Amino acid sequence: MTNAGNDVNFDSPAEVIAITAKVSQRARMKVLATEFRRRGKLVLVGGPHVSLWPEDIRGYADVTVIGEIEDIAAEIFADIEAGRAKPEYRGGKPDLRNSPLPRWDLYPFRPSMAGQIQTSRGCPFECEFCDVIQYLGRKQRWKEPEQVLAELDQLYGLGCRDVLLADDNFTVVRKRARVLLEAIEQWNGKRTAGRMKLITQLSIDAARDSELLALAVRAGLDRCFIGIETPNEESLREVQKRQNTRLDLAEEIRKIVRSGLMPLCGMIVGFDHDGPDIFERQAAFIASIPAPVIQVGMLVAPYGTPLFDRIKGENRLVEEGYTGEGNLLDTNIIPAGMTPEFLRAGLRWLLNDVFDPDQWFKRLELFAAMAPANINRRSLKIFSIVEARLAAALAKRGDAEQRLLGRLEALVQRRPDLISQIGYALIVYCQTRHVLEHFKLWDHERNSRRIGPIVDKRALAMA
């Protein structure tokens, strides 16, 4: 199995190459498939993008797997071994209680930051832009707690101490989440070589259940991704993200932090109800929340989603076969409330504001001031080897970054229990800065928190 990374051994002795990809990796998937087939390998492709848009990959692979593989895996592998592989296989919605234990012992864990366990599939919500529910369904399916503990045992034995629970919405079915978290809490309490730290995806409605959040922290959860999207309630209603409406989103995020979790907040610009003021609105909202880790991007309409169908019906697709390709300042939607040029310029300004060293550290300080003692702390050390290297590289970027590192060290000295969370926030900050600089999106001369000096609204905004 290979992913869409750059370090690919095209001379692998393997006879069969399996490739999986998200929509943002579709171009790289085609390159890998083409190169391996040119070398005489049998290439099998599957995963989210292929399942949603199989026509896009036809001609690039020998075998296409659409949907989930568990129920059809034995047939596929038997056909390949017998030399009679079919060009296409279609899976259904397997019972995850029958999922085999993954062979993580075959995976080179040394360069990995975290292991991964998927405890459920599917999400009952119906966000218009979400492609997950289109291929995994809205009826959530789960593994039994015993299966999850067996996978945790395996990863722990391999030296892994951080695990992503790769669920689409871990806490949406509260009764099931409690049973699993109670089992993990007991398991983690018996670890003698350090606790396992967990990260997963929640929806903001989990903030209403303080007991559930407390249980999650006791089980080992210390970070969670939450799709906040926007403080513009009209935009949330537009895409049917109803679970985020009629709430004080900033206060809900503060509840998450007070429970002991670090929220990783996903934000989006480019909704139909977003006007030229959305970038300053987003900047003000983000500055008000105790969340140093922010992921900001444009609204994109993935193939196979209701949003794609709506935008196509309105003749607002950039082009039929284009998906945005995962580029930071790109989308396949022609925006309704501003020109494409203003949307790109505004997002660039917003990214520079969110990841300005001072603004980023202010949010980190807000987090540290509000967070309780972290029971999932790691050993007292300012930075791990990875983080120390990142800090050294960051210091070379300028005076502002050098001051930032000094403030970070002082913060860690005050709150050594937050080392794992502060370290993770630093990793994401450095990664984002690298991306912004690599794609020449970072404005080193930026000196204004107002979008006006950066973008001429009168020239670019739509009447």
Side-chain angles (χ1 to χ4, degrees), residues 226-296:
I226 305 175
I228 301 297
E229 321 312 0
T230 179
N232 185 354
E233 187 152 323
E234 289 181 320
S235 294
L236 293 170
R237 294 184 187 281
E238 163 197 325
V239 295
Q240 301 184 58
K241 187 134 191 172
R242 291 183 286 270
Q243 63 271 27
N244 283 31
T245 62
R246 299 190 298 277
L247 295 172
D248 181 342
L249 290 171
E251 178 56 27
E252 298 305 291
I253 294 168
R254 288 189 281 270
K255 290 178 184 177
I256 298 286
V257 172
R258 292 187 193 110
S259 76
L261 298 174
M262 172 178 273
L264 324 177
C265 297
M267 310 298 295
I268 296 175
V269 294
F271 295 102
D272 287 358
H273 285 85
D274 284 352
D277 66 336
I278 190 59
F279 307 102
E280 288 177 355
R281 290 179 65 183
Q282 284 274 24
F285 174 80
I286 292 169
S288 74
I289 60 177
V293 182
I294 302 289
Q295 178 182 312
V296 190

Side-chain angles (χ1 to χ4, degrees), residues 95-97 119 142-149 179-180:
D95 186 338
L96 298 190
R97 293 173 296 182
T119 76
W142 314 293
K143 291 178 182 175
E144 294 291 348
E146 293 77 15
Q147 293 174 274
V148 176
L149 297 186
V179 171
L180 178 55

Side-chain angles (χ1 to χ4, degrees), residues 2-280:
T2 182
N3 61 20
N6 292 318
D7 298 328
V8 176
N9 178 17
F10 287 110
D11 297 318
S12 167
E15 298 176 7
V16 179
I17 305 296
I19 309 172
T20 182
K22 301 182 295 184
V23 64
S24 60
Q25 300 164 322
R26 63 189 284 254
R28 182 64 172 161
M29 175 187 242
K30 292 176 181 179
V31 169
L32 295 179
T34 299
E35 287 299 314
F36 277 118
R37 291 185 84 197
R38 190 168 64 84
R39 288 164 170 77
K41 310 293 186 181
L42 187 145
V43 173
L44 179 149
V45 295
H49 175 61
V50 173
S51 297
L52 286 170
W53 195 3
E55 296 80 9
D56 186 54
I57 199 69
R58 297 205 196 282
Y60 288 92
D62 302 289
V63 179
T64 300
V65 179
I66 301 168
E68 301 173 54
I69 197 172
E70 281 90 342
D71 288 345
I72 56 175
E75 177 189 1
I76 294 172
F77 300 147
D79 287 352
I80 289 174
E81 187 175 21
R84 57 169 186 266
K86 303 171 188 174
E88 181 177 296
Y89 295 85
R90 289 183 176 266
K93 297 289 187 291
D95 186 338
L96 298 190
R97 293 173 296 182
N98 299 324
S99 294
L101 185 69
R103 292 295 306 276
W104 285 115
D105 57 302
L106 300 177
Y107 183 81
F109 254 98
R110 183 170 290 274
S112 301
M113 288 182 61
Q116 179 170 298
I117 299 174
Q118 187 179 54
T119 76
S120 70
R121 289 181 194 162
C123 175
F125 293 133
E126 49 186 341
C127 306
E128 188 185 32
F129 55 80
C130 180
D131 56 356
V132 170
I133 56 178
Q134 303 307 316
Y135 63 87
L136 293 182
R138 292 182 55 207
K139 182 178 180 181
Q140 200 171 61
R141 293 162 284 138
W142 314 293
K143 291 178 182 175
E144 294 291 348
E146 293 77 15
Q147 293 174 274
V148 176
L149 297 186
E151 293 190 44
L152 283 169
D153 274 333
Q154 185 185 48
L155 291 171
Y156 196 87
L158 292 169
C160 181
R161 295 297 180 269
D162 284 88
V163 165
L164 167 65
L165 301 178
D167 293 28
D168 306 308
N169 194 329
F170 183 80
T171 58
V172 72
V173 180
R174 306 287 172 80
K175 183 177 180 181
R176 170 261 173 186
R178 283 190 176 87
V179 171
L180 178 55
L181 287 170
E182 288 168 355
I184 296 175
E185 179 187 13
Q186 292 183 14
W187 177 89
N188 224 349
K190 298 175 182 177
R191 298 313 102 193
T192 58
R195 285 169 61 85
M196 186 76 88
K197 294 190 297 298
L198 308 172
I199 179 174
T200 194
Q201 295 187 93
L202 313 177
S203 54
I204 195 66
D205 62 310
R208 304 173 195 163
D209 194 333
S210 59
E211 292 183 2
L212 180 65
L213 294 181
L215 174 59
V217 171
R218 293 198 306 271
L221 201 69
D222 77 342
R223 287 159 283 153
C224 58
F225 177 85
I226 305 175
I228 301 297
E229 321 312 0
T230 179
N232 185 354
E233 187 152 323
E234 289 181 320
S235 294
L236 293 170
R237 294 184 187 281
E238 163 197 325
V239 295
Q240 301 184 58
K241 187 134 191 172
R242 291 183 286 270
Q243 63 271 27
N244 283 31
T245 62
R246 299 190 298 277
L247 295 172
D248 181 342
L249 290 171
E251 178 56 27
E252 298 305 291
I253 294 168
R254 288 189 281 270
K255 290 178 184 177
I256 298 286
V257 172
R258 292 187 193 110
S259 76
L261 298 174
M262 172 178 273
L264 324 177
C265 297
M267 310 298 295
I268 296 175
V269 294
F271 295 102
D272 287 358
H273 285 85
D274 284 352
D277 66 336
I278 190 59
F279 307 102
E280 288 177 355

Side-chain angles (χ1 to χ4, degrees), residues 23 129-130 268-269 297-303 305 307-308 322-327 330-333:
V23 64
F129 55 80
C130 180
I268 296 175
V269 294
M298 290 186 187
L299 180 68
V300 174
Y303 192 93
T305 62
L307 179 60
F308 181 92
Y322 185 64
T323 61
E325 301 301 300
N327 296 329
D330 213 351
T331 176
N332 61 345
I333 300 173

Side-chain angles (χ1 to χ4, degrees), residues 269-413:
V269 294
F271 295 102
D272 287 358
H273 285 85
D274 284 352
D277 66 336
I278 190 59
F279 307 102
E280 288 177 355
R281 290 179 65 183
Q282 284 274 24
F285 174 80
I286 292 169
S288 74
I289 60 177
V293 182
I294 302 289
Q295 178 182 312
V296 190
M298 290 186 187
L299 180 68
V300 174
Y303 192 93
T305 62
L307 179 60
F308 181 92
D309 293 339
R310 176 166 69 83
I311 297 300
K312 181 179 179 181
E314 296 171 1
N315 291 319
R316 290 200 291 126
L317 285 177
V318 172
E319 60 183 79
E320 179 70 22
Y322 185 64
T323 61
E325 301 301 300
N327 296 329
L328 202 56
L329 294 189
D330 213 351
T331 176
N332 61 345
I333 300 173
I334 299 172
M338 65 195 84
T339 64
E341 293 81 7
F342 188 81
L343 178 58
R344 283 192 289 271
L347 178 54
R348 175 178 176 173
W349 176 88
L350 180 59
L351 286 164
N352 276 264
D353 186 83
V354 169
F355 290 97
D356 172 84
D358 288 335
Q359 293 302 318
W360 179 79
F361 188 75
K362 285 178 183 177
R363 298 196 310 275
L364 184 61
E365 278 191 313
L366 281 175
F367 167 78
M370 203 169 293
N374 185 2
I375 66 173
N376 296 304
R377 60 188 294 176
R378 70 183 187 206
S379 60
L380 180 57
K381 184 167 59 173
I382 298 300
F383 298 119
S384 68
I385 295 174
V386 171
E387 291 150 354
R389 289 175 179 171
L390 288 173
L394 188 63
K396 298 177 182 178
R397 286 188 162 102
D399 294 340
E401 286 75 11
Q402 290 179 16
R403 290 194 300 272
L404 171 62
L405 289 173
R407 296 164 77 186
L408 271 172
E409 184 168 354
L411 178 60
V412 170
Q413 294 288 358

